[in-house]
Amino acid sequence: MKRPKYMEDMLKMIFFWIGAMFLVVSVLMFFRVMKPKESSLVQNQLLLGIIFLATGMLFLITAVCMGIVAMKKNKLQDELLKNGVTVSGIVEKVYLKKSTQYGKQSPYIICYAYTHSDKEYHKKSGYLWVEPRYKIGDAITVYVNDNGKSAIKI
């Protein structure tokens, strides 16, 4: 499976699976396979199924929104790599983001700075799943547009 490139890719997968589980539980409620516990605030099985269905749909809608954002980010990066203005940047930091894991592996992120149109920018790369060859202070090629958006090619 393709590794996620952005946080939105990770959230898309998480929200999708949570939403799918809520939908499964709602179907089980509708077909009376699952029953509410005595301690449940809602004892009506049909109403509880509707609540789980609505919650699952909200998670799935959120997953779709995260997918759209990730798709737009991928499209912007592809466009910048093809048509962007090339400037020189400096690597400020390379770190392993231990709070995020996919398949028991954490991604690397490169923080970089560059100057374009007399403005200085500080940006972060997307998730990198292999250790980058760049170190702090290395020069890096940055592809930019006039809106302040940038991308690096690893």
Side-chain angles (χ1 to χ4, degrees), residues 3-117:
R3 294 193 181 269
K5 197 172 190 178
Y6 303 105
M7 175 61 81
E8 291 81 5
D9 284 326
M10 298 280 282
L11 293 175
K12 173 186 71 175
M13 288 186 277
I14 292 167
F15 285 133
F16 172 79
W17 287 111
I18 292 172
M21 291 300 118
F22 271 100
L23 291 180
V24 167
V25 171
S26 73
V27 167
L28 294 175
M29 288 285 186
F30 286 133
F31 288 113
R32 301 190 188 285
V33 175
M34 287 184 72
K35 294 180 175 32
K37 289 192 161 210
E38 292 176 12
S39 60
S40 176
L41 292 174
V42 178
Q43 287 297 317
N44 184 339
Q45 202 164 4
L46 182 61
L47 181 59
L48 201 53
I50 292 170
I51 292 170
F52 274 87
L53 178 67
T55 305
M57 292 305 292
L58 285 174
F59 275 108
L60 290 177
I61 290 169
T62 305
V64 168
C65 291
M66 290 295 133
I68 290 170
V69 170
M71 190 172 60
K72 285 185 176 188
K73 281 187 172 185
N74 276 324
K75 185 178 177 183
L76 176 65
Q77 181 174 13
D78 292 343
E79 183 180 311
L80 286 169
L81 293 176
K82 283 183 182 178
N83 305 323
V85 176
T86 305
V87 297
S88 182
I90 302 284
V91 174
E92 294 181 321
K93 184 179 181 181
V94 178
Y95 67 95
L96 187 65
K97 188 171 182 179
K98 294 181 182 179
S99 63
T100 301
Q101 284 192 342
Y102 184 80
K104 296 184 181 180
Q105 185 181 6
S106 295
Y108 289 90
I109 294 186
I110 297 176
C111 299
Y112 58 96
Y114 65 93
T115 303
H116 179 65
S117 299

